[in-house]
Amino acid sequence: MKAPPFAYAAPSTIAEALALLAAHEDAKVLAGGQSLMPALNLRLAAPSVLVDINGIAELSEVSLTPTELRLGALVRHKRIGTDAAIAGAVPLLGLACPHIAHGPIRSRGTIGGSLSHADPAAEWPAVCLAADAVMEIRGPAGPRHVPAEAFSLGVFTTALRPGELLAAIRFPVARGRAGFAEVARRHGDFAMVGAAVTVELGPDGRCADARVVLFGASDRPIRRRAAEERLRGQAPGAALLREAASLAAEGLDPPSDLHASAEYRRRVAPVMVRRALADALSLPEARLAA
Amino acid sequence: MNAPFTGQPLIRAEDIAHLTGRARFVDDIRPEGCLHAVIARSPFAHARLLGVNTASVEGLPGVVGVITAADFAELPAEIPIRLAPLAGFETFLQRPMAADRVRFVGEAVAVIVATSRFAAEDAAERLEVAYEPLDPVVTYDAARAGASLLFPAAGTNIATRYTAGMGDADAAFARADLVIERHMTAHRHTALPLETRGLIAHQEADGILRCWGSTKVTQWNRRALAVMLGRPEHSMDLIEVDVGGGFGAKGEFYPEDFLIPFAALRFGAPVKWIEDRREHLLTTNHSREMEATVAMAFARDGTMLGVRARISADMGAYVRTNGGVVPAKAAQFVAGPYRIRDIALEVEALLTNKTPVGTLRGPGRYEAHFFRERLIDLAAGQLGLDPAEIRRRNLLRPTDMPWSIGKLVPYEPASSIDSSDVPAAFDAALDALGYDALRDEVRKPRPDGRLHGIGLACFVESSGAGPSETARVELREDGGLRLISGVSTQGQGHKTVLAQVAGDVFGGAVPMDAIELRNGTASLIEGGFGTYHSRAVVVGGSAIHLAGQTLRAKLLRAAAARLQLRAEDLTLREGGLWREGGTQPIASMAELHAWMREAGEAPDATETFRPEGRTYTCGAHAAHVAVDTETGQVEVLRYVATEDVGKAINPLLIHGQAIGAAVQGIGATFLDELVYDADGQLLTGSLADYLVATATCFPNIETITLENAPSTLNPLGAKGAGEGGVVACAAAIANAIADALKPLGVEINHLPLGPDRLLRLIPETPA
Ligand SMILES: Cc1cc2nc3c(=O)[nH]c(=O)nc-3n(C[C@H](O)[C@H](O)[C@H](O)COP(=O)(O)OP(=O)(O)OC[C@H]3O[C@@H](n4cnc5c(N)ncnc54)[C@H](O)[C@@H]3O)c2cc1C
């Protein structure tokens, strides 16, 4: 389990990084290395050049305005989970972070790396979708912005084009409540299936808006619009959450793997949605099976 | 600290080195000019090996050479059986490298030796090997049917079959009011020590071929290597360095234990091979995969009348050094610590195109106790008895000792449980759990909706196998002691425990920190059998005890002669040599050493301890779990494990052994699983897929060590203490989950108990 030979470059600006990516067609960006290095050592990947972006200071920046949180692609999982201002602005980030791997991996792994890697069971892509985030991409053709839903395209597949770099992720500061639930074999393992939800309550106490996202249930995180629709305009209650949860599971065609069959995921997906909603809306009775 | 040292929870003398990075594991050894070996392995489960094109890698950067089976075709290099030879096994032994047929994914087809590990791996990727795939044999049925044969010349995939028994099972079943019979399975998993296998071999300038690594049975392995290489034993040595865990799997004689020394001789340089984790999962012994149909006969009052078991074990592709231990021990222990006199067993060992199996902490016991304890709970349900009560009515009692368990193992003589107090061990577990109160408590509805359950399991476990151990105890010139033992160490803490044993023989005259242990290297002392079957302290410790006593008598005799006193009037205790009733020591231990020198006497003694039989520990496990019926996830809220170890020489180390064993056993029950697909490909080839318990998974484990039944078979009264924590885990956890899910009519007959399996068993309710 030793990596095949590769060249190594450590640019200090985004422009240099883009030049390197342009010059070497099969170059790979190295961020936290927590997915890439195992792939190299298992010889599942053999890029000719690693472009280490850890020296590009601006990629680690965090900025917060009253309406927007902007996380540089290199911001580590650990910072996201421990910086109260970040979780204050987008609570889903704080709720999801403890479920990602273990301390040492969270200290190195980056949000941009997780999004670019695009594991269908990863937390950040689902959180970005539920929190309505937008990806800030830099590439040879200039910068562009891609909403989360158009960014995750499938297993290990994103909208990033050759030579492009994910530079930052922009989140609208949350106005509502959030809930997060997942099942994993052990704490810190990738989820078998999970749900990330956001709900905005109107002045009348009814759901003004909701986003319901499942992950680990498809080849990418997916919004469950029928469930969102069911919630909209309704007063939250256990029965409503059950209905929304059932709708969220309709039409699912989840994958099977060693740890969970498709049947398992189909059965547990609505449970995760119900529990995430119950937590978001502080309705503990809705956590229980009917 | 003062003597007696035995019984004190002393911290491990070995810890300082380990915790400060000063331990020396095999990969820490970096001989000058060392070459690195990488083993090219079969990607097919079953195929004809048509050829290895060594020219495809010769000349690549860094490559020094390639070895294939043809290079040692004339050597008698079959890996012999060390334990549990059963009739028929001799046909299915493994040679270190495939010659014309590969029989499992991961079987070695070539060794590439290069100047760096990187270069060797680069070359391995480019090695051309031609195969012609054959039908893989992956299931029990396919193995029995024999449409595809692993060894065509043998004409069968059935490595052995035998029956055994005692009493009259037919009569017992005929008399029964209730018979419970189930088809059950235990799953394939493995030991997974933190440190993988590894080896450095080098023929040094003195002509001695030395191998450094983890070899739990160094003397046996050296003997095997001598035969295979065709050179005398004294021309080689196996040197055990610090070892990061073994759990039964590491240190057996594996193909690499031949290939790496062979490569070192061939290329005239030190050669290092460190197993990577993928290789470890593919090639280090697997264990525990078996199916069984087990039946128990009961009287209406719950009395256990008899047991029948038909056990088929999946041995993988070859019979390795551990022979038939796994199936034979599963069969032997199926009756457990109960007063069952009528037993009928049928055992079958099947070959399949999977990694060969060997022992894993509590081999066969983990499986057997699972089978039986499940049936006992089912019987209790049908007879309307409490699970604790039905067990209590049948447990062996102290007055039953010694209890004959008959001759249930073809390659062993009849055996008896030497001593036990199982009811006390069982009660200790129930008390610790608060069983009576919890029994009602678990049925109450919970705010989080989870269902709770309690699982109980009792076990018996053997330890302290012979034939013997030899030890030498030497008085050092500074008054310290040097212990030389033929047992080896894989991290258990023998340095501490064996020093406690020796220290007490000298009454504390030698302080603990002045007692050193030398062990684990083949050439140290004749008559060492190594470390397995929880025998190092029981047998090796007894040998040290005897040698210490002989040396003590020798010292007192010499001192008496010099002082013109009677030896009976002298004694050794803290401070050194004392006259009985004296107020201060007459001489320090260092002075005693000087006296011996002056008298021209060697200040040492060597003794051999030969146990008359095995020691048996007994105990019980009790689990309290909560099951999330919507996700199939289980939380172990409390877990209590008791074991009567006869004599606890170091309660702290036993506690560590028991907790570690329980985590390993509970983890195995939920997580560890080696999964093969229909083509015989291992799907769990990394730690992302093969899940192992980590420190945070099962935090609520309590263990209780009892000393009610000292062994009658050794001077220490000791019994093994390394495996009782693991052997009843599947049983207790499965019973607890079944108890929780009883309202849903769920039965548990198959392992492991991951969420997917459990959810399939739980009827679906609307979201
Ligand atoms: C034991 C273990 C458990 C884990 N458990 C989880 C878990 O439960 N949940 C979870 O979500 N993750 C988990 N991970 C993965 C972890 O979160 C990784 O950190 C993450 O997937 C990748 O981030 P990274 O910064 O390490 O990226 P790297 O490994 O450096 O890169 C990953 C991929 O993304 C590309 N890339 C990285 N950054 C950029 C960028 N800015 N622009 C373009 N391409 C880029 C790389 O070229 C590479 O292809 C686990 C990892 C391990 C080792």
Side-chain angles (χ1 to χ4, degrees), chain B residues 505-525:
Chain B
V505 175
F506 293 86
V510 183
M512 278 292 291
D513 60 8
I515 305 176
E516 67 177 299
L517 174 68
R518 295 212 184 153
N519 70 328
T521 289
S523 61
L524 271 176
I525 187 167

Side-chain angles (χ1 to χ4, degrees), chain B residues 420-434:
Chain B
S420 80
D421 188 345
V422 209
F426 185 50
D427 285 342
L430 296 182
D431 289 349
L433 193 71

